[in-house]
mmCIF file with all atom_site columns, all heavy atoms in Angstrom:
data_model
loop_
_atom_site.group_PDB
_atom_site.id
_atom_site.type_symbol
_atom_site.label_atom_id
_atom_site.label_alt_id
_atom_site.label_comp_id
_atom_site.label_asym_id
_atom_site.label_entity_id
_atom_site.label_seq_id
_atom_site.pdbx_PDB_ins_code
_atom_site.Cartn_x
_atom_site.Cartn_y
_atom_site.Cartn_z
_atom_site.occupancy
_atom_site.B_iso_or_equiv
_atom_site.pdbx_formal_charge
_atom_site.auth_seq_id
_atom_site.auth_comp_id
_atom_site.auth_asym_id
_atom_site.auth_atom_id
_atom_site.pdbx_PDB_model_num
ATOM 1  N N   . SER R 1 47  ? 19.275 3.814  -7.544  1.00 0.00 ? 47  SER R N   1
ATOM 2  C CA  . SER R 1 47  ? 20.288 2.901  -6.939  1.00 0.00 ? 47  SER R CA  1
ATOM 3  C C   . SER R 1 47  ? 19.919 2.655  -5.459  1.00 0.00 ? 47  SER R C   1
ATOM 4  O O   . SER R 1 47  ? 20.383 1.616  -4.929  1.00 0.00 ? 47  SER R O   1
ATOM 5  C CB  . SER R 1 47  ? 21.661 3.448  -7.034  1.00 0.00 ? 47  SER R CB  1
ATOM 6  O OG  . SER R 1 47  ? 22.024 3.609  -8.372  1.00 0.00 ? 47  SER R OG  1
ATOM 7  N N   . GLY R 1 48  ? 19.248 3.512  -4.835  1.00 0.00 ? 48  GLY R N   1
ATOM 8  C CA  . GLY R 1 48  ? 18.845 3.390  -3.379  1.00 0.00 ? 48  GLY R CA  1
ATOM 9  C C   . GLY R 1 48  ? 17.916 2.232  -3.169  1.00 0.00 ? 48  GLY R C   1
ATOM 10 O O   . GLY R 1 48  ? 17.662 1.933  -2.003  1.00 0.00 ? 48  GLY R O   1
ATOM 11 N N   . GLY R 1 49  ? 17.357 1.618  -4.211  1.00 0.00 ? 49  GLY R N   1
ATOM 12 C CA  . GLY R 1 49  ? 16.516 0.551  -4.094  1.00 0.00 ? 49  GLY R CA  1
ATOM 13 C C   . GLY R 1 49  ? 17.085 -0.609 -3.328  1.00 0.00 ? 49  GLY R C   1
ATOM 14 O O   . GLY R 1 49  ? 16.424 -1.454 -2.713  1.00 0.00 ? 49  GLY R O   1
ATOM 15 N N   . VAL R 1 50  ? 18.459 -0.764 -3.420  1.00 0.00 ? 50  VAL R N   1
ATOM 16 C CA  . VAL R 1 50  ? 19.116 -1.773 -2.743  1.00 0.00 ? 50  VAL R CA  1
ATOM 17 C C   . VAL R 1 50  ? 19.003 -1.533 -1.232  1.00 0.00 ? 50  VAL R C   1
ATOM 18 O O   . VAL R 1 50  ? 18.822 -2.539 -0.442  1.00 0.00 ? 50  VAL R O   1
ATOM 19 C CB  . VAL R 1 50  ? 20.651 -1.834 -3.109  1.00 0.00 ? 50  VAL R CB  1
ATOM 20 C CG1 . VAL R 1 50  ? 21.413 -2.812 -2.381  1.00 0.00 ? 50  VAL R CG1 1
ATOM 21 C CG2 . VAL R 1 50  ? 20.841 -2.164 -4.614  1.00 0.00 ? 50  VAL R CG2 1
ATOM 22 N N   . VAL R 1 51  ? 19.109 -0.318 -0.773  1.00 0.00 ? 51  VAL R N   1
ATOM 23 C CA  . VAL R 1 51  ? 18.976 0.033  0.599   1.00 0.00 ? 51  VAL R CA  1
ATOM 24 C C   . VAL R 1 51  ? 17.559 -0.285 1.049   1.00 0.00 ? 51  VAL R C   1
ATOM 25 O O   . VAL R 1 51  ? 17.203 -0.787 2.132   1.00 0.00 ? 51  VAL R O   1
ATOM 26 C CB  . VAL R 1 51  ? 19.283 1.467  0.861   1.00 0.00 ? 51  VAL R CB  1
ATOM 27 C CG1 . VAL R 1 51  ? 19.102 1.863  2.348   1.00 0.00 ? 51  VAL R CG1 1
ATOM 28 C CG2 . VAL R 1 51  ? 20.703 1.765  0.483   1.00 0.00 ? 51  VAL R CG2 1
ATOM 29 N N   . GLY R 1 52  ? 16.519 0.073  0.201   1.00 0.00 ? 52  GLY R N   1
ATOM 30 C CA  . GLY R 1 52  ? 15.168 -0.163 0.476   1.00 0.00 ? 52  GLY R CA  1
ATOM 31 C C   . GLY R 1 52  ? 14.870 -1.673 0.630   1.00 0.00 ? 52  GLY R C   1
ATOM 32 O O   . GLY R 1 52  ? 14.158 -2.097 1.507   1.00 0.00 ? 52  GLY R O   1
ATOM 33 N N   . ALA R 1 53  ? 15.568 -2.533 -0.163  1.00 0.00 ? 53  ALA R N   1
ATOM 34 C CA  . ALA R 1 53  ? 15.352 -3.943 -0.089  1.00 0.00 ? 53  ALA R CA  1
ATOM 35 C C   . ALA R 1 53  ? 15.897 -4.472 1.191   1.00 0.00 ? 53  ALA R C   1
ATOM 36 O O   . ALA R 1 53  ? 15.291 -5.310 1.930   1.00 0.00 ? 53  ALA R O   1
ATOM 37 C CB  . ALA R 1 53  ? 16.010 -4.645 -1.319  1.00 0.00 ? 53  ALA R CB  1
ATOM 38 N N   . ALA R 1 54  ? 17.110 -3.963 1.614   1.00 0.00 ? 54  ALA R N   1
ATOM 39 C CA  . ALA R 1 54  ? 17.702 -4.389 2.859   1.00 0.00 ? 54  ALA R CA  1
ATOM 40 C C   . ALA R 1 54  ? 16.827 -3.994 4.042   1.00 0.00 ? 54  ALA R C   1
ATOM 41 O O   . ALA R 1 54  ? 16.669 -4.784 4.987   1.00 0.00 ? 54  ALA R O   1
ATOM 42 C CB  . ALA R 1 54  ? 19.058 -3.773 3.043   1.00 0.00 ? 54  ALA R CB  1
ATOM 43 N N   . LEU R 1 333 ? 18.608 -0.995 -8.937  1.00 0.00 ? 333 LEU R N   1
ATOM 44 C CA  . LEU R 1 333 ? 20.050 -0.609 -9.035  1.00 0.00 ? 333 LEU R CA  1
ATOM 45 C C   . LEU R 1 333 ? 20.478 -0.669 -10.486 1.00 0.00 ? 333 LEU R C   1
ATOM 46 O O   . LEU R 1 333 ? 21.146 0.198  -11.021 1.00 0.00 ? 333 LEU R O   1
ATOM 47 C CB  . LEU R 1 333 ? 20.843 -1.519 -8.161  1.00 0.00 ? 333 LEU R CB  1
ATOM 48 C CG  . LEU R 1 333 ? 22.449 -1.351 -8.308  1.00 0.00 ? 333 LEU R CG  1
ATOM 49 C CD1 . LEU R 1 333 ? 22.945 -0.009 -7.916  1.00 0.00 ? 333 LEU R CD1 1
ATOM 50 C CD2 . LEU R 1 333 ? 23.181 -2.474 -7.428  1.00 0.00 ? 333 LEU R CD2 1
#
Side-chain angles (χ1 to χ4, degrees):
S47 303
V50 176
V51 179
L333 174 61

